[in-house]
Amino acid sequence: MSGPTSLARRRFLTGGAAVGAGALLAACTSNESPQSTPQAVAGNQGDNAQPGAHVTIGFSAPAADHGWMAAMTKNARAQAGQFSDVTFTATEGTNDVNQQIAQVETLINQKVGVLVILPFDGAALTAVGQTAMDAGIPVVNVDRVFDTPLAYRTWIGGDNYRMGVNAGNYIASELKKKGVASPVIGEVAGIDSLPLTQERSQGFRDALAKNGFAVGPRVSAQFTPESGEQMTSNLLQSAPKLDALWNHDDDQGIGVLAAIDNASRSEFFMVGGAGSRNMMDLIKADSGVMKATVLYSPSMASSAIALARLLGQNKGIGDLAEHEIPANVTTYSAVVTKENVDSYADVAFDS
Amino acid sequence: MTKDPSSVLPEAGSSSEAPPPRTAPPSAKAPRGRFPVDVRLAGLLAVFVLLCLVGFLTRPDAFFTEGNLSTILRLAAAIGVVSVGMTFVIISGGIDLSVGSIVALSSVWATTLATQSYGPVVMVLCALGVGLGCGLVNGVLVSYGRVVPFIATLAMYASARGLAERISGRNTQVVREAGFLDFFRGDFLGIPVLIWMFALVFVVGWILLNRTTFGRRTFAVGGNTEAARLAGINVKRHTALVYGVAGLCCGIAALMVVARTTSGASTNGLYYELDAIAAVVIGGTLLSGGRGTLIGTLIGVLIFTVLGNIFTLNNLDTDIQNIAKGAIIVLAVLLQFRTNRSRKST
């Protein structure tokens, strides 16, 4: 699976060198670090692992312009590769809602067996999801939810609110353990206009309030390392002393940590979000401010493919008493700390 | 491509045969109306001082601390360097929409090398080379290919970021090259190296623009292309070089971003083109070319950076910050329009 991809990438790089920046650099660009190992492939116990009826799964997702989103597509592809009875048809990722609708329509016309859709915008993709369901194609809706259950057979996604809750609870309990009376708790949020950011912040506020604490300095970044560094640099100037900091997103976390490092600050501890390999490595090393991260794992894409296959084969889930796949599956935002980091290494993603 | 560039078509060379009726001679740097420029710079400076005052009054404990001032300058450094290059392009009568993407491509290319430990020198040369190369491609497309700057750099805007995504595999490349980090994240004489670099680029840019033939030609080309050509300036070659300067600035900015974030990502440099154009326009440089100052650009960049700093210091929403940004841009352009009309009497 990774063979042809990296070959094409190498060819592209060599071409790009000539176009972009002069041939002298071309020799230095073959950066094929062997990191494209399939991540987070769900184990399939019981009868469901046995090859069954053949299923064609159509897949549509936004552009992989962010480590987490890239991992979603990568995981879906890797999971499909595990099944000998699955044909995987993926469309090119796009952040243009109109184009994603057109892509899903194409998949419907190809008469795929099951559709897995991670909409760029759940509301905008609802109608086409419903069209697929009406055409008799079950839809597995991943992460960003459609406006109506009529548009999907099953939804699987993360729990943004609980992500905030678990981050808040962890921070509160750690501070109480240390006996800090009135702590200053900072927050580096993601893109503020997205509902997912608002839900995370709400959960964080609620959990802290329950413990008698409140959010202090708060900034909103753009889910990118650069914006994380910029916003955090300013935030650290604003707060000469911090006790804890929650950063919503491990991709931007690289920049957040760079800013902390640059300001030579270490009087507080930091909690991340999503669960990237970088952050898990730092948590394990336990040498800096990074102490925990709350999961929002792209392993949900692997699970979505597994569920889609079972839907296509009219099977249920082994350990449940139900005959069918449930209509909703919400993944849990576990808190990964030094103590349990090893058991979560398999769902870490490369940011 | 197919046409011989020298065979002048009636309309292609933008009213080529019409003799320049009302414009100043080619060396129109700071013509008779030097006064309005100074007034505008003074106004800009007043806005800046006012902002700093607001910062001080709202957070007397935090604003004028050494750490905060250093943070502001460090944050201004990358976008400031890009804006220096953008000022050259806009004065020469062009526009560069690709600066952010070039920053992304340079940073990713340089840091992808880091993962293979080619060493800091190779990384630096790579970032600068990629930036310069992309800029020259822009310039050649614009001057020899006769593609409108807006379109040529729009193409680079899309393709450079695409290439950056391809090279990085959309992963953030974390820099582990100690030599690189130690140098660019370190201090020299108590001041961060990033700020020294910013100062150096600015001073070199200022000398290049105001004290050399290259600078005079840039003003001349932007003021009246045909007059510049008649005055014996190789307009095509000069235009290509100006975009090269802008590209090189992007390469330098990429190094700064990599040092700041300790990583290269294809999302680096997002919206730099808009921020740089805004800073240049606020600084009083004419979008139609032919006139402008680097000092204005510098104050423009600082105004935006200080604005962001004040908002964060006071724990305010970023939404309102964007509205404030928009208001400042409109105000500056209105001011520019008024002083401009008094000069050119359309």
Side-chain angles (χ1 to χ4, degrees):
Chain A
M1 175 138 304
S2 67
T5 329
S6 52
L7 206 75
R9 196 166 129 197
R10 189 184 300 257
R11 224 178 280 136
F12 193 93
L13 283 176
T14 321
V19 177
L24 87 149
L25 297 163
C28 322
T29 55
S30 47
N31 176 50
E32 312 310 323
S33 53
Q35 58 194 350
S36 42
T37 46
Q39 312 162 348
V41 172
N44 301 279
Q45 321 88 326
D47 294 348
N48 284 342
Q50 303 297 323
H54 185 266
V55 183
T56 306
I57 299 177
F59 179 81
S60 171
D65 51 6
H66 175 248
W68 184 86
M69 195 60 90
M72 290 291 278
T73 304
K74 222 185 282 177
N75 286 356
R77 198 176 282 280
Q79 183 72 41
Q82 296 295 304
F83 300 121
S84 59
D85 50 4
V86 164
T87 306
F88 187 69
T89 313
T91 57
E92 186 64 26
T94 173
N95 287 348
D96 176 354
V97 173
N98 283 318
Q99 202 179 334
Q100 195 178 12
I101 291 172
Q103 287 174 346
V104 174
E105 282 168 348
T106 312
L107 290 171
I108 295 173
N109 291 337
Q110 286 175 21
K111 299 195 166 41
V112 294
V114 189
L115 268 171
V116 176
I117 305 176
L118 200 181
F120 179 74
D121 179 329
L125 266 286
T126 300
V128 77
Q130 194 153 354
T131 310
M133 291 288 285
D134 292 347
I137 302 173
V139 174
V140 179
N141 177 199
V142 192
D143 191 37
R144 302 172 186 179
V145 64
F146 289 149
D147 269 357
T148 161
L150 292 174
Y152 61 80
R153 165 63 182 78
T154 291
W155 174 80
I156 176 167
D159 191 342
N160 285 299
Y161 181 80
R162 191 166 297 280
M163 215 179 150
V165 168
N166 287 358
N169 281 338
Y170 174 80
I171 285 177
S173 75
E174 287 296 304
L175 289 173
K176 282 183 176 164
K177 231 183 273 176
K178 289 180 184 163
V180 185
S182 50
V184 184
I185 302 168
E187 181 182 4
V188 183
I191 301 172
D192 250 346
S193 58
L194 294 180
L196 66 95
T197 298
Q198 294 155 14
E199 288 166 24
R200 288 176 191 185
S201 286
Q202 189 62 47
F204 191 54
R205 267 198 303 273
D206 291 353
L208 289 182
K210 197 193 69 183
N211 288 284
F213 297 147
V215 181
R218 180 186 188 279
V219 290
S220 129
Q222 304 285 320
F223 290 136
T224 65
E226 193 185 358
S227 63
E229 195 271 348
Q230 278 178 353
M231 302 315 291
T232 310
S233 290
N234 280 331
L235 182 141
L236 291 175
Q237 291 303 325
S238 165
K241 185 186 162 291
L242 275 176
D243 293 291
L245 181 70
W246 183 40
N247 164 50
H248 284 208
D249 181 87
D250 283 346
D251 279 288
Q252 74 187 18
I254 292 173
V256 173
L257 284 173
I260 293 170
D261 183 46
N262 195 72
S264 315
R265 297 277 290 269
S266 59
E267 81 277 8
F268 58 92
F269 66 95
M270 173 172 152
V271 177
S276 75
R277 196 178 308 285
N278 275 322
M279 296 305 151
M280 289 210 193
D281 288 347
L282 288 172
I283 291 167
K284 192 172 178 182
D286 194 24
S287 55
V289 292
M290 191 68 196
K291 295 299 181 207
T293 189
V294 280
L295 287 190
Y296 194 88
S297 175
S299 61
M300 67 178 74
S302 310
S303 305
I305 296 295
L307 289 177
R309 167 177 172 263
L310 295 178
L311 273 174
Q313 296 173 342
N314 286 318
K315 290 181 180 166
I317 299 178
D319 288 339
L320 295 186
E322 311 304 322
H323 280 243
E324 297 88 8
I325 301 295
N328 279 297
V329 182
T330 308
T331 62
Y332 184 67
S333 300
V335 181
V336 178
T337 61
K338 189 185 163 196
E339 281 71 36
N340 63 11
V341 63
D342 285 330
S343 56
Y344 287 105
D346 61 327
V347 295
F349 63 94
D350 294 310
S351 65
Chain B
M1 282 302 229
T2 50
K3 276 173 199 135
D4 181 3
S6 59
S7 69
V8 186
L9 292 162
E11 285 306 305
S14 70
S15 72
S16 50
E17 291 313 309
R22 59 200 151 84
T23 341
S27 59
K29 190 198 72 168
R32 63 177 174 89
R34 214 181 62 227
F35 188 60
V37 177
D38 287 350
V39 165
R40 194 166 46 226
L41 266 187
L44 208 58
L45 206 57
V47 172
F48 178 63
V49 170
L50 205 70
L51 262 182
C52 290
L53 202 65
V54 171
F56 176 70
L57 290 178
T58 51
R59 285 296 298 269
D61 57 319
F63 189 77
F64 276 120
T65 59
E66 192 194 327
N68 194 44
L69 295 182
S70 151
T71 297
I72 290 174
L73 286 176
R74 245 170 23 84
L75 288 179
I79 187 67
V81 167
V82 169
S83 301
V84 167
M86 183 70 84
T87 310
F88 276 87
V89 172
I90 292 183
I91 288 178
S92 80
I95 191 95
D96 191 343
L97 301 179
S98 65
V99 288
S101 300
I102 298 179
V103 168
L105 181 59
S106 303
S107 75
V108 159
W109 211 319
T111 52
T112 307
L113 293 174
T115 59
Q116 298 203 346
S117 340
Y118 274 81
V121 177
V122 179
M123 280 174 69
V124 170
L125 290 180
C126 174
L128 299 181
V130 171
L132 180 64
C134 290
L136 287 177
V137 169
N138 274 339
V140 167
L141 282 177
V142 168
S143 58
Y144 295 95
R146 291 194 175 188
V147 185
V148 186
F150 192 92
I151 301 299
T153 59
L154 192 62
M156 183 61 79
Y157 163 87
S159 52
R161 199 170 294 278
L163 190 57
E165 284 166 354
R166 194 81 194 185
I167 290 177
S168 65
R170 292 182 165 118
N171 290 328
T172 303
Q173 310 282 349
V174 178
V175 180
R176 309 190 193 285
E177 190 56 59
F180 182 91
L181 292 179
D182 289 348
F183 179 75
F184 285 103
R185 288 173 71 79
D187 287 358
F188 178 69
L189 298 179
I191 294 174
V193 169
L194 288 188
I195 299 178
W196 283 112
M197 286 170 73
F198 180 27
L200 191 70
V201 169
F202 180 77
V203 169
V204 169
W206 191 87
I207 292 173
L208 191 63
L209 188 63
N210 297 305
R211 291 287 180 269
T212 66
T213 330
F214 186 88
R216 273 197 294 283
R217 285 179 178 166
T218 307
F219 281 107
V221 168
N224 187 324
T225 315
E226 186 57 17
R229 194 183 67 79
L230 291 174
I233 297 172
N234 186 339
V235 172
K236 286 185 194 300
R237 193 181 64 195
H238 189 82
T239 306
L241 287 178
V242 164
Y243 282 90
V245 167
L248 186 62
C249 285
C250 295
I252 298 171
L255 290 173
M256 297 170 140
V257 173
V258 169
R260 261 176 34 207
T261 62
T262 65
S263 64
S266 55
T267 50
N268 282 343
L270 223 49
Y271 307 124
Y272 271 26
E273 54 284 337
L274 299 182
D275 288 350
I277 292 171
V280 171
V281 167
I282 283 198
T285 298
L286 282 189
L287 261 184
S288 48
R291 214 184 64 205
T293 66
L294 275 176
I295 298 197
T297 300
L298 174 69
I299 303 176
V301 168
L302 287 177
I303 284 180
F304 282 142
T305 317
V306 167
L307 194 68
N309 182 258
I310 292 175
F311 270 73
T312 311
L313 286 186
N314 291 292
N315 214 1
L316 296 176
D317 268 4
T318 31
D319 315 356
I320 312 170
Q321 182 183 331
N322 287 335
I323 299 172
K325 252 188 183 182
I328 291 181
I329 294 174
V330 169
L331 275 177
V333 172
L334 281 179
L335 186 72
Q336 177 172 320
F337 182 67
R338 290 179 67 85
T339 47
N340 192 27
R341 199 164 43 181
S342 68
R343 274 188 75 242
K344 273 197 175 172
S345 67
T346 320

